[in-house]
Amino acid sequence: MSTDNIPKLPLGLQMALAHNVLAMQTFLGLEDREQDKLIKRAEKTKTQREMQKLVDNIPRIRLE
């Protein structure tokens, strides 16, 4: 992950990743294009529960 993406992370995504080390490591290992897709998904979440579910699934999801 380039550091260019760090300021783009929604606050809720940052917080959820901070509480899930495996998801954070997985996210950091993704290509920028894949990270951008996850960021866009995170921006569409409406609740903390949705954000947590998204983050908890990062190690298992297949990006489309």
Side-chain angles (χ1 to χ4, degrees):
M1 172 180 171
S2 70
T3 55
D4 295 339
N5 276 348
I6 291 173
K8 289 196 262 182
L9 291 179
L11 181 59
L13 179 57
Q14 291 178 35
M15 292 175 64
L17 286 171
H19 292 285
N20 186 325
V21 176
L22 180 58
M24 183 184 300
Q25 291 172 334
T26 303
F27 181 83
L28 293 173
L30 297 172
E31 294 179 17
D32 288 346
R33 176 181 57 84
E34 294 169 326
Q35 290 175 358
D36 289 339
K37 287 182 180 181
L38 276 172
I39 291 168
K40 287 178 181 162
R41 286 182 185 176
E43 289 171 342
K44 293 177 183 177
T45 63
K46 297 189 184 339
T47 66
Q48 181 179 357
R49 183 177 291 217
E50 287 177 3
M51 182 66 74
Q52 194 61 53
K53 185 176 178 181
L54 172 67
V55 169
D56 289 346
N57 285 317
I58 287 175
R60 297 185 291 265
I61 63 174
R62 293 190 113 159
L63 299 175
E64 298 151 5

